[in-house]
Amino acid sequence: MRTICFYFQVHQPFRLKPYRFFEIGDDHDYWDDYSNRNIMNKVAKKCYLPMNQLLLELIHKFQGKFKVCFSLSGCILDQMEAYAPEVLRSFQELVDTGHVELLNETYSHSLCALKSESEFKHMVQLHQEKIKHHFKGYEPKVFRNTELIYSDSIGEMVAGMGFDGILSEGAKHILGWKSPNFVYVNAHEPKLKVLLKNFRLSDDIAFRFGEKTWSDYPLTTDKFIGWLNQVPQEDEVINLFMDYETFGEHQWKETGIFEFMRHLPEAVLNRTNFGFSTPSEVIANASPVGKINVPIPISWADEERDLTAWLGNDLQDEAFDRLFELEASVKRSSNPEIQRDWLYLQTSDHFYYMCTKFFSDGDIHAYFSPYESPYEAFINYMNVLSDFILRLKQDEKERIAS
């Protein structure tokens, strides 16, 4: 079997509004509805709607020989419900073709797998329920953790929840001489299959496509097909994993990204010995070649492929630790607004905005952040968290009094 597995991450965070110190205790509305609505509608127009339409056309044109998979965070589904129901309908139409796979993940794109197994399982269950609700009882069999964060222990938890496979990054420091173009198994639970991103070919599309200083610019279908045909014949699967916003948002329409994608499936099917598969199909049809040992968590972020995009400095660690100190109190609360805010405050983007790495990847971090500096992001988040703590204490008092 020689196949290509396209995976797209679809996520938008609920962004915090500017929240000042003197508002603590008075203002319990943390979310920037204006920005969230505008950004959702902008990305829907530039990416989600045109790309979904293109994929639908390609699936019909090739009668199911072209396939893709998505993970849609609970945050993006909530925003589709609130701001862009037509986008949700377009994803439902794609899934209805039977040639699009959906993956499970944490509801709010959380880093909880690094901190709390109970919260991790809770987040996954919430996401499962959300997917079932919107996609006719659909039950994903493959998991994708936030930002492809993976380790042996995270894989164990995922296997324990009954998943057949998990996606992760084909990090050089983990693979060594091995190739990402095979199926592996978790080091502790061999029943869990591990699919690894081919980061070079994925990032050629996701990051370098419109980069005019890149030595291989412009990336054409012919050039990409040439690279695929250079892949050793024994390699079984090319995992092309990327943000869905690559199409039209990170790489603008003017770069030719949509036309590249429009012509790629036909070129692959006619000029290579590759086909297309979903993750479940890869897992079912390819035999694992061995275990992949990942004792320390990896991710798909930055040159290091580690956790330092989110938990790499004192600001991030302080905010993350303070947040999860509240888990037990939140679990005791039945207040739906507290539960909602707890979910959204866990979103990894908040910690990403606090990143102080300004070396190889600083420009990427600055592109995604709505703040002037990581320190501003930290202060704003901690002000919100201070108010959230006061609400939890008041909720506890009222519960005891009743």
Side-chain angles (χ1 to χ4, degrees), residues 12-175:
Q12 292 293 329
F14 279 93
R15 297 161 189 83
L16 294 166
K17 69 183 183 183
Y19 193 93
R20 299 172 181 82
F21 176 80
F22 63 79
E23 294 174 298
I24 298 171
D26 292 325
D27 184 0
H28 307 319
D29 179 14
Y30 310 141
W31 311 105
D32 191 340
D33 185 70
Y34 178 80
S35 290
N36 292 326
R37 180 186 297 273
N38 281 357
I39 291 171
M40 178 66 199
N41 287 328
K42 181 193 73 168
V43 180
K45 183 178 180 180
K46 294 178 67 175
C47 170
Y48 301 148
L49 291 174
M51 191 58 183
N52 281 3
Q53 181 59 40
L54 174 57
L55 292 182
L56 187 65
E57 292 172 5
L58 292 172
I59 288 170
H60 288 318
K61 178 179 179 180
F62 296 104
Q63 300 179 328
K65 292 182 180 179
F66 176 67
K67 306 168 185 182
V68 300
C69 82
F70 293 99
S71 65
L72 300 102
S73 72
C75 290
I76 193 69
L77 289 169
D78 288 345
Q79 291 191 43
M80 288 177 192
E81 290 175 356
Y83 310 135
E86 71 279 9
V87 175
L88 178 56
R89 289 193 295 270
S90 70
F91 277 106
Q92 290 168 333
E93 190 175 3
L94 278 172
V95 175
D96 285 344
T97 66
H99 303 294
V100 172
E101 181 171 5
L102 295 179
L103 307 186
N104 258 141
E105 62 168 277
T106 60
Y107 190 96
S108 65
H109 209 69
S110 169
L111 302 173
C112 55
L114 302 170
K115 198 74 169 179
S116 168
E117 183 173 356
S118 63
E119 180 63 13
F120 180 55
K121 291 180 177 179
H122 175 63
M123 277 272 193
V124 175
Q125 180 182 5
L126 289 178
H127 190 257
Q128 288 173 328
E129 293 169 357
K130 193 76 169 181
I131 293 295
K132 284 183 180 180
H133 173 72
H134 282 303
F135 296 94
K136 300 179 180 179
Y138 192 104
E139 295 187 38
K141 300 300 181 184
V142 177
F143 189 78
R144 192 268 348 194
N145 195 26
T146 303
E147 304 295 341
L148 295 192
I149 292 172
Y150 175 79
S151 68
D152 296 335
S153 59
I154 290 173
E156 274 192 282
M157 290 191 290
V158 171
M161 288 185 276
F163 291 100
D164 298 328
I166 188 169
L167 274 53
S168 190
E169 171 66 43
K172 287 182 180 179
H173 68 280
I174 292 297
L175 283 169

Side-chain angles (χ1 to χ4, degrees), residues 299-366:
S299 77
W300 70 353
D302 301 344
E303 290 292 330
E304 298 86 356
R305 300 316 203 251
D306 60 10
L307 303 182
T308 54
W310 307 277
L311 299 175
N313 62 41
D314 290 342
L315 305 179
Q316 295 166 314
D317 294 343
E318 171 70 11
F320 189 63
D321 290 343
R322 288 293 302 279
L323 175 67
F324 273 90
E325 287 172 1
L326 309 176
E327 181 184 355
S329 297
V330 171
K331 291 290 193 289
R332 291 192 293 269
S333 175
S334 59
N335 184 319
E337 292 184 352
I338 284 177
Q339 295 297 330
R340 178 204 63 195
D341 291 345
W342 165 249
L343 291 178
Y344 295 164
L345 284 170
Q346 287 188 52
T347 301
S348 64
D349 302 69
H350 303 308
F351 307 99
Y352 189 85
Y353 302 148
M354 301 175 199
C355 184
T356 51
K357 289 165 46 174
F358 290 107
F359 301 100
S360 60
D361 301 290
D363 55 340
I364 296 175
H365 289 265

Side-chain angles (χ1 to χ4, degrees), residues 291-304:
K291 296 180 180 180
I292 188 75
N293 293 285
V294 189
I296 299 173
I298 58 173
S299 77
W300 70 353
D302 301 344
E303 290 292 330
E304 298 86 356

